[in-house]
Amino acid sequence: MTELRCNDPIIEVHDLYVYFYTYAGVVRAIEGVSFCIERGETYCLVGETGCGKSVTSRALTKLILPPGRIEKGKVYYYPEPSRRIDILALSEEEVKKIRGNEITYIFQDPGTALDPLYTIGYQIAETMLVHGRIRRIKEGIPHAVELLRKTLIPDPERRVKAYPHELSGGMKQRAVIATALANNPKLVIADEPTTALDATVQAQIMELLRKLKKEEGLTILLITHNMGLVAEMCDRVAVMYAGTIVEEAPTEELFKNPLHPYTRLLLRAVPNPLRRMDKLESIPGTVPNLIYPPPGCRFHPRCPHAMDICREERPPEIWVNESHRVACHLYTGKASLPG
Ligand code: SF4
Protein backbone atom coordinates (compact mmCIF):
# COMPACT_ATOMS: atom_id res chain seq x y z
CA MET A 1 0.00 0.00 0.00
CA THR A 2 1.23 3.51 -0.85
CA GLU A 3 2.66 5.45 2.06
CA LEU A 4 0.93 8.84 2.39
CA ARG A 5 2.83 11.91 3.54
CA CYS A 6 0.65 14.64 5.07
CA ASN A 7 1.32 16.37 8.40
CA ASP A 8 -2.25 17.51 9.02
CA PRO A 9 -4.51 15.72 6.54
CA ILE A 10 -8.14 16.68 6.05
CA ILE A 11 -8.69 13.71 3.71
CA GLU A 12 -6.79 10.48 3.23
CA VAL A 13 -7.62 8.09 0.41
CA HIS A 14 -6.11 4.62 0.63
CA ASP A 15 -6.04 2.14 -2.24
CA LEU A 16 -9.40 3.16 -3.75
CA TYR A 17 -11.06 1.00 -6.42
CA VAL A 18 -14.24 2.08 -8.26
CA TYR A 19 -15.84 -0.06 -10.98
CA PHE A 20 -18.86 0.53 -13.23
CA TYR A 21 -20.92 -2.52 -14.19
CA THR A 22 -22.17 -1.71 -17.69
CA TYR A 23 -23.77 -3.91 -20.36
CA ALA A 24 -20.54 -3.69 -22.34
CA GLY A 25 -18.48 -4.97 -19.40
CA VAL A 26 -16.88 -3.88 -16.14
CA VAL A 27 -15.22 -0.47 -16.44
CA ARG A 28 -12.24 -0.44 -14.09
CA ALA A 29 -12.46 3.32 -13.60
CA ILE A 30 -10.24 3.68 -10.52
CA GLU A 31 -7.66 1.17 -9.38
CA GLY A 32 -5.44 1.66 -6.35
CA VAL A 33 -5.67 5.44 -5.98
CA SER A 34 -4.08 6.82 -2.80
CA PHE A 35 -3.46 10.42 -1.77
CA CYS A 36 -3.95 12.83 1.10
CA ILE A 37 -4.87 16.51 1.21
CA GLU A 38 -3.31 18.82 3.79
CA ARG A 39 -5.67 21.07 5.72
CA GLY A 40 -5.64 24.53 4.08
CA GLU A 41 -3.96 23.59 0.81
CA THR A 42 -5.19 23.53 -2.77
CA TYR A 43 -4.60 20.02 -4.06
CA CYS A 44 -5.12 19.24 -7.69
CA LEU A 45 -6.06 16.13 -9.63
CA VAL A 46 -5.08 16.64 -13.25
CA GLY A 47 -5.32 14.45 -16.33
CA GLU A 48 -7.08 13.87 -19.64
CA THR A 49 -10.86 13.47 -19.85
CA GLY A 50 -11.89 10.02 -18.63
CA CYS A 51 -8.81 9.45 -16.45
CA GLY A 52 -10.93 9.14 -13.28
CA LYS A 53 -10.49 12.55 -11.64
CA SER A 54 -14.19 13.24 -11.16
CA VAL A 55 -15.00 9.66 -10.11
CA THR A 56 -12.27 9.90 -7.47
CA SER A 57 -13.62 13.20 -6.15
CA ARG A 58 -17.18 11.83 -5.99
CA ALA A 59 -16.04 8.72 -4.16
CA LEU A 60 -14.78 10.96 -1.32
CA THR A 61 -18.41 11.35 -0.19
CA LYS A 62 -19.74 8.06 -1.60
CA LEU A 63 -21.35 9.94 -4.49
CA ILE A 64 -20.98 7.00 -6.86
CA LEU A 65 -24.33 6.06 -8.38
CA PRO A 66 -25.24 2.65 -9.91
CA PRO A 67 -23.98 1.03 -12.05
CA GLY A 68 -20.87 2.33 -10.28
CA ARG A 69 -19.61 0.75 -7.08
CA ILE A 70 -16.77 1.49 -4.69
CA GLU A 71 -15.06 -1.90 -4.67
CA LYS A 72 -12.51 -1.34 -1.95
CA GLY A 73 -10.34 1.22 -0.25
CA LYS A 74 -10.60 3.66 2.63
CA VAL A 75 -11.49 7.34 2.73
CA TYR A 76 -10.73 9.01 6.03
CA TYR A 77 -12.04 12.53 6.72
CA TYR A 78 -10.51 14.53 9.58
CA PRO A 79 -12.86 17.40 10.56
CA GLU A 80 -10.27 18.18 13.25
CA PRO A 81 -6.74 16.81 13.50
CA SER A 82 -7.72 14.49 16.34
CA ARG A 83 -11.01 13.17 14.88
CA ARG A 84 -11.10 10.63 12.06
CA ILE A 85 -14.24 9.56 10.19
CA ASP A 86 -14.23 6.45 8.00
CA ILE A 87 -16.47 7.84 5.22
CA LEU A 88 -17.00 4.60 3.31
CA ALA A 89 -18.22 2.89 6.48
CA LEU A 90 -20.99 5.50 6.98
CA SER A 91 -24.61 4.92 5.98
CA GLU A 92 -26.10 7.18 3.27
CA GLU A 93 -27.99 9.09 6.00
CA GLU A 94 -24.75 9.69 7.91
CA VAL A 95 -22.72 10.71 4.88
CA LYS A 96 -25.45 13.20 3.85
CA LYS A 97 -24.68 15.14 7.04
CA ILE A 98 -21.16 15.70 5.71
CA ARG A 99 -21.82 16.04 1.96
CA GLY A 100 -23.10 19.52 1.09
CA ASN A 101 -22.24 20.64 4.59
CA GLU A 102 -18.61 20.04 5.62
CA ILE A 103 -17.52 18.80 2.19
CA THR A 104 -19.16 20.60 -0.72
CA TYR A 105 -18.90 20.48 -4.51
CA ILE A 106 -18.74 23.09 -7.23
CA PHE A 107 -19.60 21.32 -10.46
CA GLN A 108 -18.61 22.16 -14.00
CA ASP A 109 -21.85 23.47 -15.42
CA PRO A 110 -23.58 26.11 -13.28
CA GLY A 111 -26.58 25.87 -15.61
CA THR A 112 -27.42 22.36 -14.40
CA ALA A 113 -26.23 22.86 -10.80
CA LEU A 114 -28.99 25.42 -10.16
CA ASP A 115 -32.71 24.64 -10.19
CA PRO A 116 -34.43 26.93 -12.74
CA LEU A 117 -37.65 26.96 -10.68
CA TYR A 118 -36.26 28.61 -7.55
CA THR A 119 -34.55 31.91 -6.83
CA ILE A 120 -30.85 32.01 -6.03
CA GLY A 121 -31.61 33.10 -2.46
CA TYR A 122 -34.03 30.21 -1.96
CA GLN A 123 -31.46 27.68 -3.19
CA ILE A 124 -28.72 28.99 -0.91
CA ALA A 125 -31.07 29.07 2.07
CA GLU A 126 -32.34 25.57 1.25
CA THR A 127 -28.80 24.20 1.61
CA MET A 128 -28.72 25.64 5.13
CA LEU A 129 -32.21 24.35 5.90
CA VAL A 130 -31.38 20.79 4.81
CA HIS A 131 -28.45 20.73 7.22
CA GLY A 132 -30.43 22.18 10.12
CA ARG A 133 -28.66 25.54 10.26
CA ILE A 134 -31.94 27.46 9.92
CA ARG A 135 -35.59 26.51 10.53
CA ARG A 136 -37.22 28.50 7.71
CA ILE A 137 -36.03 29.60 4.26
CA LYS A 138 -36.70 33.23 5.23
CA GLU A 139 -34.10 33.03 8.00
CA GLY A 140 -31.40 32.12 5.47
CA ILE A 141 -31.94 35.04 3.08
CA PRO A 142 -29.72 37.60 4.91
CA HIS A 143 -26.88 35.04 4.93
CA ALA A 144 -27.53 34.35 1.22
CA VAL A 145 -27.14 38.08 0.52
CA GLU A 146 -23.86 38.08 2.47
CA LEU A 147 -22.60 35.08 0.49
CA LEU A 148 -23.49 36.72 -2.82
CA ARG A 149 -21.60 39.79 -1.66
CA LYS A 150 -18.57 37.65 -0.78
CA THR A 151 -18.66 36.08 -4.23
CA LEU A 152 -18.63 39.61 -5.68
CA ILE A 153 -22.07 39.51 -7.26
CA PRO A 154 -23.12 43.14 -7.79
CA ASP A 155 -26.30 44.30 -6.07
CA PRO A 156 -26.71 41.12 -3.99
CA GLU A 157 -29.96 42.33 -2.35
CA ARG A 158 -31.56 42.30 -5.81
CA ARG A 159 -29.80 39.19 -7.18
CA VAL A 160 -30.87 37.08 -4.23
CA LYS A 161 -34.41 37.28 -5.66
CA ALA A 162 -33.29 36.43 -9.22
CA TYR A 163 -33.91 33.12 -10.99
CA PRO A 164 -30.95 31.34 -12.62
CA HIS A 165 -32.03 32.32 -16.17
CA GLU A 166 -31.72 35.98 -15.18
CA LEU A 167 -27.97 35.61 -14.50
CA SER A 168 -25.01 35.33 -16.88
CA GLY A 169 -22.84 32.16 -16.90
CA GLY A 170 -20.18 33.73 -14.69
CA MET A 171 -22.78 35.07 -12.29
CA LYS A 172 -24.44 31.64 -12.08
CA GLN A 173 -21.10 30.05 -11.19
CA ARG A 174 -20.63 32.67 -8.46
CA ALA A 175 -24.08 31.73 -7.15
CA VAL A 176 -23.07 28.04 -7.19
CA ILE A 177 -19.92 28.95 -5.24
CA ALA A 178 -22.06 30.90 -2.75
CA THR A 179 -24.25 27.80 -2.33
CA ALA A 180 -21.16 25.65 -1.76
CA LEU A 181 -20.03 28.06 0.98
CA ALA A 182 -23.44 28.33 2.68
CA ASN A 183 -22.64 25.95 5.54
CA ASN A 184 -19.00 27.02 6.13
CA PRO A 185 -17.48 23.87 4.59
CA LYS A 186 -14.03 22.59 5.52
CA LEU A 187 -13.29 21.09 2.09
CA VAL A 188 -14.55 22.39 -1.25
CA ILE A 189 -14.24 20.12 -4.27
CA ALA A 190 -14.19 22.21 -7.44
CA ASP A 191 -14.71 19.89 -10.41
CA GLU A 192 -13.65 21.71 -13.59
CA PRO A 193 -15.32 24.86 -12.18
CA THR A 194 -14.54 27.04 -15.19
CA THR A 195 -14.76 24.67 -18.16
CA ALA A 196 -18.22 25.89 -19.20
CA LEU A 197 -17.22 29.58 -19.00
CA ASP A 198 -15.40 31.88 -21.41
CA ALA A 199 -11.75 32.78 -20.81
CA THR A 200 -12.20 36.17 -19.05
CA VAL A 201 -14.87 34.80 -16.73
CA GLN A 202 -12.67 31.73 -16.02
CA ALA A 203 -9.91 34.00 -14.74
CA GLN A 204 -12.37 35.93 -12.55
CA ILE A 205 -13.80 32.74 -11.03
CA MET A 206 -10.35 31.35 -10.22
CA GLU A 207 -9.36 34.67 -8.68
CA LEU A 208 -12.55 34.50 -6.60
CA LEU A 209 -11.74 30.97 -5.41
CA ARG A 210 -8.25 32.10 -4.39
CA LYS A 211 -9.70 35.04 -2.46
CA LEU A 212 -12.32 32.89 -0.72
CA LYS A 213 -9.76 30.25 0.18
CA LYS A 214 -7.68 32.91 1.94
CA GLU A 215 -10.62 34.62 3.64
CA GLU A 216 -12.52 31.50 4.68
CA GLY A 217 -9.52 29.24 5.42
CA LEU A 218 -10.81 26.64 2.96
CA THR A 219 -9.12 23.51 1.73
CA ILE A 220 -9.72 23.03 -2.00
CA LEU A 221 -9.55 19.95 -4.16
CA LEU A 222 -9.38 21.21 -7.74
CA ILE A 223 -10.19 18.82 -10.57
CA THR A 224 -8.94 20.02 -13.93
CA HIS A 225 -7.35 19.10 -17.24
CA ASN A 226 -5.87 22.58 -17.51
CA MET A 227 -2.17 22.74 -16.58
CA GLY A 228 -2.32 26.56 -16.57
CA LEU A 229 -4.86 26.44 -13.75
CA VAL A 230 -2.71 23.92 -11.89
CA ALA A 231 0.30 26.25 -12.09
CA GLU A 232 -1.74 29.22 -10.90
CA MET A 233 -3.82 27.66 -8.16
CA CYS A 234 -2.37 24.50 -6.67
CA ASP A 235 0.08 23.76 -3.88
CA ARG A 236 0.43 20.10 -4.83
CA VAL A 237 -0.70 18.12 -7.82
CA ALA A 238 -1.42 14.49 -8.62
CA VAL A 239 -1.35 13.44 -12.27
CA MET A 240 -3.90 10.76 -13.14
CA TYR A 241 -3.82 8.41 -16.08
CA ALA A 242 -6.41 5.73 -16.87
CA GLY A 243 -7.72 5.45 -13.31
CA THR A 244 -4.39 5.56 -11.48
CA ILE A 245 -2.16 8.27 -9.98
CA VAL A 246 1.11 8.19 -11.89
CA GLU A 247 2.89 11.09 -10.20
CA GLU A 248 2.42 13.49 -7.29
CA ALA A 249 4.57 16.47 -6.33
CA PRO A 250 4.48 20.09 -5.16
CA THR A 251 3.31 22.08 -8.19
CA GLU A 252 6.52 23.95 -8.90
CA GLU A 253 8.58 20.78 -8.65
CA LEU A 254 6.25 18.92 -11.01
CA PHE A 255 6.59 21.64 -13.65
CA LYS A 256 10.37 21.91 -13.22
CA ASN A 257 11.17 18.24 -12.84
CA PRO A 258 8.43 15.97 -14.20
CA LEU A 259 9.48 12.33 -13.84
CA HIS A 260 6.74 10.13 -15.27
CA PRO A 261 6.83 9.79 -19.07
CA TYR A 262 3.10 10.67 -19.22
CA THR A 263 3.61 13.86 -17.18
CA ARG A 264 6.52 14.83 -19.42
CA LEU A 265 4.42 14.35 -22.54
CA LEU A 266 1.44 16.13 -20.96
CA LEU A 267 3.61 19.16 -20.17
CA ARG A 268 4.93 19.24 -23.74
CA ALA A 269 1.35 19.15 -25.03
CA VAL A 270 0.27 22.37 -23.27
CA PRO A 271 1.85 25.81 -22.83
CA ASN A 272 4.15 25.59 -19.78
CA PRO A 273 4.39 28.86 -17.85
CA LEU A 274 7.77 27.86 -16.36
CA ARG A 275 9.53 26.89 -19.61
CA ARG A 276 10.32 28.31 -23.03
CA MET A 277 8.62 26.09 -25.62
CA ASP A 278 9.12 26.21 -29.38
CA LYS A 279 6.12 24.05 -30.22
CA LEU A 280 3.41 22.01 -28.56
CA GLU A 281 3.44 18.23 -29.08
CA SER A 282 0.62 15.72 -29.00
CA ILE A 283 0.69 12.48 -27.00
CA PRO A 284 0.71 9.51 -29.40
CA GLY A 285 -2.13 6.98 -29.21
CA THR A 286 -5.39 7.23 -27.30
CA VAL A 287 -6.51 6.65 -23.72
CA PRO A 288 -7.24 2.95 -23.14
CA ASN A 289 -10.68 1.39 -22.88
CA LEU A 290 -10.98 0.70 -19.16
CA ILE A 291 -13.13 -2.39 -19.76
CA TYR A 292 -9.93 -3.94 -21.12
CA PRO A 293 -7.14 -1.89 -19.53
CA PRO A 294 -3.62 -2.73 -20.66
CA PRO A 295 -1.87 -5.15 -18.29
CA GLY A 296 1.09 -3.92 -16.22
CA CYS A 297 1.55 -0.18 -16.59
CA ARG A 298 -1.61 1.26 -18.14
CA PHE A 299 0.47 3.80 -20.04
CA HIS A 300 2.73 1.25 -21.75
CA PRO A 301 1.01 1.23 -25.19
CA ARG A 302 1.76 5.00 -25.50
CA CYS A 303 5.05 5.19 -23.62
CA PRO A 304 8.27 5.84 -25.54
CA HIS A 305 10.27 4.09 -22.77
CA ALA A 306 8.15 0.94 -22.39
CA MET A 307 10.12 -2.17 -21.42
CA ASP A 308 9.11 -5.83 -21.09
CA ILE A 309 8.44 -5.46 -17.36
CA CYS A 310 6.03 -2.57 -18.10
CA ARG A 311 3.72 -4.95 -20.01
CA GLU A 312 3.67 -7.46 -17.15
CA GLU A 313 3.87 -5.71 -13.78
CA ARG A 314 2.06 -2.69 -12.48
CA PRO A 315 4.79 -0.23 -11.41
CA PRO A 316 4.98 0.44 -7.66
CA GLU A 317 4.79 4.01 -6.38
CA ILE A 318 8.26 5.24 -5.40
CA TRP A 319 9.01 8.30 -3.28
CA VAL A 320 11.99 9.93 -4.99
CA ASN A 321 12.28 12.55 -2.27
CA GLU A 322 10.23 13.79 0.71
CA SER A 323 7.34 15.09 -1.38
CA HIS A 324 7.58 13.64 -4.90
CA ARG A 325 6.33 10.19 -5.85
CA VAL A 326 6.08 8.43 -9.17
CA ALA A 327 4.72 5.10 -10.39
CA CYS A 328 7.06 3.98 -13.16
CA HIS A 329 9.50 1.10 -13.60
CA LEU A 330 12.17 3.58 -14.71
CA TYR A 331 12.52 4.61 -11.08
CA THR A 332 12.66 1.19 -9.49
CA GLY A 333 16.37 0.91 -10.28
CA LYS A 334 15.75 -1.63 -13.02
CA ALA A 335 16.41 0.73 -15.97
CA SER A 336 18.14 3.99 -16.88
CA LEU A 337 16.19 7.23 -16.54
CA PRO A 338 14.91 9.05 -19.62
CA GLY A 339 16.84 12.13 -20.71
FE1 SF4 B 1 6.60 3.87 -19.44
FE2 SF4 B 1 7.17 1.59 -18.23
FE3 SF4 B 1 7.18 3.83 -16.85
FE4 SF4 B 1 4.90 2.79 -17.71
S1 SF4 B 1 6.31 1.91 -16.22
S2 SF4 B 1 5.50 4.89 -17.82
S3 SF4 B 1 5.52 1.98 -19.68
S4 SF4 B 1 8.55 3.29 -18.56
Side-chain angles (χ1 to χ4, degrees):
M1 192 181 284
T2 307
E3 176 205 347
L4 299 183
R5 295 184 177 176
C6 279
N7 294 322
D8 179 14
I10 191 164
I11 280 279
E12 278 179 1
V13 178
H14 294 272
D15 208 22
L16 184 71
Y17 283 67
V18 181
Y19 289 175
F20 288 83
Y21 293 83
T22 69
Y23 287 116
V26 180
V27 182
R28 292 162 168 78
I30 301 293
E31 282 202 333
V33 162
S34 300
F35 64 96
C36 57
I37 303 177
E38 291 275 13
R39 200 177 304 280
E41 78 170 337
T42 301
Y43 185 88
C44 188
L45 289 176
V46 70
E48 289 167 282
T49 302
C51 70
K53 313 177 292 279
S54 295
V55 175
T56 302
S57 72
R58 285 167 177 261
L60 298 189
T61 62
K62 290 179 82 172
L63 202 53
I64 301 291
L65 302 176
R69 202 163 76 195
I70 297 173
E71 290 296 315
K72 68 171 187 163
K74 289 279 179 200
V75 175
Y76 294 125
Y77 164 52
Y78 296 82
E80 292 100 35
S82 55
R83 195 154 70 90
R84 182 172 94 169
I85 298 174
D86 181 349
I87 295 262
L88 301 186
L90 299 180
S91 66
E92 181 55 21
E93 279 315 301
E94 288 167 328
V95 88
K96 269 187 186 163
K97 291 182 188 150
I98 296 174
R99 188 196 304 137
N101 190 25
E102 295 176 40
I103 302 179
T104 57
Y105 289 84
I106 300 166
F107 290 114
Q108 190 176 118
D109 183 1
T112 53
L114 295 167
D115 189 328
L117 297 179
Y118 294 94
T119 63
I120 299 301
Y122 183 98
Q123 296 186 53
I124 296 173
E126 190 185 32
T127 311
M128 292 185 266
L129 185 73
V130 166
H131 291 284
R133 294 189 180 238
I134 52 172
R135 281 165 302 154
R136 278 182 222 94
I137 290 289
K138 222 167 109 188
E139 286 173 34
I141 299 300
H143 188 47
V145 171
E146 254 340 280
L147 286 166
L148 294 181
R149 199 183 314 282
K150 264 188 196 162
T151 54
L152 307 178
I153 291 192
D155 200 359
E157 287 84 1
R158 186 161 67 87
R159 305 288 183 187
V160 83
K161 296 179 200 146
Y163 288 87
H165 75 270
E166 297 177 277
L167 305 181
S168 66
M171 206 94 86
K172 273 189 219 150
Q173 192 59 307
R174 286 170 196 269
V176 170
I177 293 171
T179 312
L181 297 181
N183 293 323
N184 298 323
K186 293 180 191 296
L187 172 64
V188 173
I189 299 172
D191 187 352
E192 306 268 12
T194 59
T195 305
L197 306 172
D198 67 46
T200 354
V201 183
Q202 277 184 18
Q204 290 167 0
I205 294 291
M206 294 323 291
E207 186 50 45
L208 173 65
L209 280 178
R210 247 199 308 260
K211 169 179 118 53
L212 291 171
K213 176 181 179 261
K214 212 162 143 197
E215 288 173 1
E216 310 291 311
L218 296 174
T219 306
I220 297 180
L221 170 58
L222 178 66
I223 312 292
T224 185
H225 61 271
N226 182 334
M227 292 306 267
L229 277 190
V230 174
E232 265 175 50
M233 289 287 297
C234 298
D235 298 302
R236 290 188 305 136
V237 53
V239 180
M240 290 195 73
Y241 182 78
T244 63
I245 288 182
V246 296
E247 185 163 7
E248 180 195 69
T251 305
E252 201 177 328
E253 175 157 345
L254 188 100
F255 277 84
K256 280 190 180 152
N257 185 27
L259 296 179
H260 195 280
Y262 174 63
T263 315
R264 289 174 167 227
L265 288 169
L266 193 63
L267 286 175
R268 281 192 217 135
V270 295
N272 183 339
L274 299 181
R275 266 192 212 163
R276 188 177 169 275
M277 301 175 78
D278 294 327
K279 64 176 174 107
L280 299 179
E281 293 169 25
S282 61
I283 303 176
T286 54
V287 284
N289 176 346
L290 293 183
I291 296 177
Y292 307 104
C297 171
R298 287 186 170 187
F299 189 56
H300 85 249
R302 303 173 77 184
C303 180
H305 307 285
M307 305 166 278
D308 288 345
I309 190 171
C310 305
R311 296 175 191 93
E312 290 151 17
E313 279 178 33
R314 182 174 167 171
E317 294 186 64
I318 311 279
W319 286 97
V320 294
N321 63 33
E322 264 310 292
S323 55
H324 194 162
R325 70 175 149 124
V326 62
C328 172
H329 286 299
L330 290 169
Y331 301 90
T332 55
K334 293 177 185 168
S336 55
L337 304 185

